[in-house]
Amino acid sequence: MSNRGEEPSQSENQSQGKMDAFQLRCRKAGLKVTPQRVAVYKALIESKEHPSTDVLWRKLRKTFPNISLDTVNRTLLTLAEIGAAFVVEGSGDVKRFDGCLESHQHFKCLKCKKIIDFHHKPFDSITVPRNISEKYVVLKKTVYLEGICDLCRKRRT
Amino acid sequence: MSNRGEEPSQSENQSQGKMDAFQLRCRKAGLKVTPQRVAVYKALIESKEHPSTDVLWRKLRKTFPNISLDTVNRTLLTLAEIGAAFVVEGSGDVKRFDGCLESHQHFKCLKCKKIIDFHHKPFDSITVPRNISEKYVVLKKTVYLEGICDLCRKRRT
DNA sequence: CTCTGTGCAAACACTTTGCAGCTAA
DNA sequence: TTAGCTGCAAAGTGTTTGCACAGAG
């Protein structure tokens, strides 16, 4: 584990905990714990930028030169299936992923496509109307904001 | 209340009103009112299915055999730019559009990709936390639900 | 008349698929 | 050992672009 200049011991432990939980989750789902999977998952949870397959792949290649784009893509889709990651909601651009499992919301800049995380407690507890929850299985409730971020507003691009 | 075709009187008037408003909006934005644009807009607001470019194009060709896919796509993007339509939020599939300007929310079935509209008043009035609204320009607030629809659950596909 | 919008075709970017060899369990 | 995973290459899909002509203003 190269530990790119960041992470001292404490977060290293946290990270380790997450990795253990991840391995457990894989096994439960009947998935093998391969170096690639571990690397993809690790890179994802260390990314704060909600990377697309491509972005994560470029990053991974620095420490894992042989990993293929497909593997990254397939792994991310698999992670989403077993609930270890999410596909970020958004208005129809490239698929982007989020490895943060804690409750939070997203603001997406329409200009630079940056996604900003925030957590507003009231949004955690929104209640789905009866006529929906009776008829459909609601798996995810999301509050999602779009607009222009501070930097894009300034540079008025 | 379906009346979703070329029905007469009342809804015809409503529809006409919408078309007038649309022309006005185009002119204000400096866009020409071409037959294609009108047709695309009309087809969009008559669709309840939040169509993708492709779906809308197939539909349009029945009454407008020469219209090209690009035109439909470009027109939809243009409509989104001038605020006459929206790109539906969702987790990274094909771009889909919505011509309904009234406040409403979406539930999307992860299996069949169907999008169900609903309107839950409390969702209209969610308030964006200070730290976001102070820093960013929030153009759109969305509550978005994902899950499995009634039909997909039954047929357990 | 002018300048935008359209249609066509080619280019692109992103995903998915098929398969042979590899590897975790 | 063996089912599942990876890497490569090729095929899809959906979207964008460049350009000549047509048509709205």
Side-chain angles (χ1 to χ4, degrees), chain B residues 32 34 36-37 70-71 74:
Chain B
K32 293 184 178 170
T34 63
Q36 288 90 335
R37 262 184 201 152
D70 317 80
T71 299
R74 274 183 294 205

Side-chain angles (χ1 to χ4, degrees), chain A residues 89-92 95 107 120 123 127 129 135-140 142-150 153, chain B residues 87 89-90 92 95 107 120 123 127 129 135-150 153:
Chain A
E89 71 286 347
S91 300
K95 271 203 186 81
F107 169 91
H120 185 53
F123 289 171
T127 48
K135 199 166 173 190
Y136 310 115
V137 184
V138 177
L139 296 174
K140 205 170 158 207
T142 317
V143 178
Y144 168 63
L145 306 178
E146 274 181 355
I148 309 295
C149 76
D150 49 344
R153 188 166 37 145
Chain B
V87 181
E89 70 285 349
K95 271 203 184 82
F107 169 91
H120 185 53
F123 289 170
T127 49
K135 199 166 173 190
Y136 311 116
V137 183
V138 177
L139 297 174
K140 206 170 155 208
K141 306 179 287 182
T142 316
V143 178
Y144 168 62
L145 307 178
E146 274 181 356
I148 309 294
C149 76
D150 48 345
R153 188 167 36 146

Side-chain angles (χ1 to χ4, degrees), chain A residues 17 56 63 73 77 79-80 92 96 108 116 135 138 142 144-145:
Chain A
L56 204 63
T63 55
N73 192 41
L77 294 176
L79 294 185
R96 291 172 67 172
K108 181 167 179 183
I116 287 121
K135 199 166 173 190
V138 177
T142 317
Y144 168 63
L145 306 178

Side-chain angles (χ1 to χ4, degrees), chain A residues 47-50 98 100 104-107 115-119, chain B residues 131-132 136:
Chain A
S47 291
K48 291 272 174 266
E49 31 170 333
H50 310 81
D98 188 351
C100 174
H104 65 283
Q105 292 85 31
H106 294 139
F107 169 91
I115 294 170
I116 287 121
D117 285 340
F118 67 96
H119 185 207
Chain B
N131 57 333
I132 293 293
Y136 311 116

Side-chain angles (χ1 to χ4, degrees), chain A:
Chain A
M1 45 191 68
S2 56
N3 182 354
R4 261 198 250 120
E6 304 114 62
E7 332 303 285
S9 57
Q10 189 186 12
S11 55
E12 185 68 8
N13 292 335
Q14 276 187 23
S15 166
Q16 193 49 52
K18 281 187 186 172
M19 296 316 292
D20 289 345
F22 172 63
Q23 297 205 3
L24 200 63
R25 194 192 276 269
C26 282
R27 296 224 171 78
K28 274 188 185 168
L31 299 176
K32 293 185 177 168
V33 181
T34 64
Q36 287 91 335
R37 260 185 202 149
V38 172
V40 168
Y41 184 69
K42 196 154 195 281
L44 179 64
I45 62 176
E46 280 170 0
S47 291
K48 291 272 174 266
E49 31 170 333
H50 310 81
S52 63
T53 298
D54 196 68
V55 167
L56 204 63
W57 177 57
R58 287 171 207 282
K59 188 169 290 186
L60 275 160
R61 279 206 301 182
K62 290 176 190 160
T63 55
F64 206 136
N66 277 348
I67 198 165
S68 80
L69 177 64
D70 318 79
T71 298
V72 178
N73 192 41
R74 275 182 294 205
T75 303
L76 288 170
L77 294 176
T78 307
L79 294 185
E81 260 171 33
I82 65 170
F86 294 109
V87 180
V88 179
E89 71 286 347
S91 300
D93 288 303
V94 199
K95 271 203 186 81
R96 291 172 67 172
F97 297 86
D98 188 351
C100 174
L101 301 180
E102 284 122 54
S103 176
H104 65 283
Q105 292 85 31
H106 294 139
F107 169 91
K108 181 167 179 183
C109 176
L110 294 171
K111 288 262 169 72
C112 69
K113 311 294 183 194
K114 186 170 54 182
I115 294 170
I116 287 121
D117 285 340
F118 67 96
H119 185 207
H120 185 53
K121 285 232 174 60
F123 289 171
D124 294 345
S125 49
I126 57 171
T127 48
V128 178
R130 271 285 184 74
N131 57 334
I132 293 293
S133 59
E134 275 169 352
K135 199 166 173 190
Y136 310 115
V137 184
V138 177
L139 296 174
K140 205 170 158 207
K141 306 180 287 181
T142 317
V143 178
Y144 168 63
L145 306 178
E146 274 181 355
I148 309 295
C149 76
D150 49 344
L151 296 174
C152 285
R153 188 166 37 145
K154 272 176 208 149
R155 69 169 163 260
R156 188 171 297 293
T157 316

